[in-house]
Amino acid sequence: MSRDVRQATADDVDAIHETARRSWHAAYDEILEARRIDEIVDEWYAISDLESSIANASSRDDVVFLVADGDADASIPRFQDGCIGFAHAIPWPEGTSVAFLVRVYVDPEAWGNGIGSRLLATLEEKLADRFDRIRLAVLADNHVGVSFYESSGFDRIETRENELSEGLEEYVYQKPL
């Protein structure tokens, strides 16, 4: 693992939650209402659920939950204690050879510093012995996310409706490991 990317611990949950909130607002404020974003973050990144996900990743070889700390040598600031980005992957529900990238987010103040790429590379390295491919879904209107995944070697394999709001579409991407 890169020295600034490590396994998440229970001590990281508050920073992960805050990073998710900041990232969601930066990526989705033009797509969804701010109140709806806060509801989603509070539901999908509930502290108890994050603690369970981190514990699950610590006890299984097919689940990974990583955080990125600020890099002291590259003048990347730490916006919260312990975490400026995170990535989480689990087995894809419909396929044992496919990993599902549940989430990867970096604090928007640190976008463009390679943190998301380091998180993704470390996650892929950890999953490569267990899975053939990694898959994810991202809102079609999340231009930052779509650009990140496409520049990271993911191919779009499907477009489908999303349940967050009427008329929203999401893209499903996949990449070999």
Side-chain angles (χ1 to χ4, degrees):
M1 256 189 246
S2 169
R3 65 182 167 67
D4 63 336
V5 175
R6 62 176 172 76
Q7 188 67 37
T9 70
D11 292 337
D12 296 313
V13 296
D14 290 330
I16 291 168
H17 184 86
E18 183 58 25
T19 298
R21 183 175 311 284
R22 290 172 51 86
S23 298
W24 267 75
H25 278 289
Y28 297 117
D29 271 352
E30 293 182 16
I31 303 167
L32 300 167
E33 294 179 9
R35 179 186 52 77
R36 180 67 178 126
I37 291 170
D38 286 334
E39 290 170 357
I40 291 166
V41 170
D42 289 342
E43 179 182 342
W44 292 4
Y45 299 88
I47 299 299
S48 61
D49 291 344
L50 289 172
E51 289 170 340
S52 294
S53 294
I54 290 168
N56 194 27
S58 297
S59 66
R60 294 177 52 173
D61 66 353
D62 63 346
V63 176
V64 177
F65 203 133
L66 304 171
V67 295
D69 286 325
D71 185 349
D73 294 337
S75 70
I76 298 171
R78 280 177 84 150
F79 301 97
Q80 301 92 18
D81 288 335
C83 168
I84 58 170
F86 60 94
H88 180 205
I90 62 175
W92 183 260
E94 294 99 29
T96 58
S97 66
V98 180
F100 175 43
L101 181 58
V102 179
R103 44 195 164 205
V104 58
Y105 286 98
V106 173
D107 190 288
E109 293 294 322
W111 286 356
N113 287 298
I115 296 166
S117 296
R118 285 195 298 272
L119 280 163
L120 186 58
T122 304
L123 185 130
E124 289 173 356
E125 181 181 301
K126 292 181 141 311
L127 296 172
D129 290 341
R130 182 86 166 102
F131 299 98
D132 297 332
R133 295 163 289 168
I134 186 167
R135 193 174 289 164
L136 63 94
V138 60
L139 289 181
D141 291 332
N142 178 351
H143 303 293
V144 171
V146 167
S147 176
F148 173 72
Y149 297 125
E150 290 179 354
S151 69
S152 297
F154 284 86
D155 294 315
R156 189 181 315 165
I157 60 170
E158 181 182 356
T159 300
R160 61 188 186 194
E161 288 186 38
N162 181 280
E163 298 176 6
L164 292 178
S165 181
E166 188 175 329
L168 278 183
E169 287 186 332
E170 66 183 14
Y171 298 143
V172 177
Y173 283 91
Q174 184 169 278
K175 176 182 179 179
L177 289 174

